[in-house]
Amino acid sequence: MPWILSVIAERLRRCHRDERGMNTAELMGNAALAIVALVAIWGALQAAGLNVVGWIETTLLGSG
């Protein structure tokens, strides 16, 4: 039984030092924060009475 604990402990130590997935996790976190920021900015502009979606639509499709 003690050998099982030593194997598990060694694997945990190895996993703790391995940072290969951290870059992906950091990028996913940054993307999530960016989306939250965009939604917050859009909500604030809507509350201020600015129709951002309508402005983008008009700019892209023209006025007629």
Side-chain angles (χ1 to χ4, degrees), residues 23-41:
N23 194 22
T24 303
E26 290 172 9
L27 290 174
M28 295 290 285
N30 288 342
L33 288 175
I35 291 171
V36 169
L38 286 174
V39 168
I41 291 169

Side-chain angles (χ1 to χ4, degrees), residues 8-30:
I8 292 172
E10 178 57 32
R11 287 191 182 195
L12 286 173
R13 275 193 291 275
R14 228 181 299 147
C15 288
H16 183 66
R17 288 188 300 248
D18 189 13
E19 293 186 6
R20 284 182 288 186
M22 278 304 282
N23 194 22
T24 303
E26 290 172 9
L27 290 174
M28 295 290 285
N30 288 342

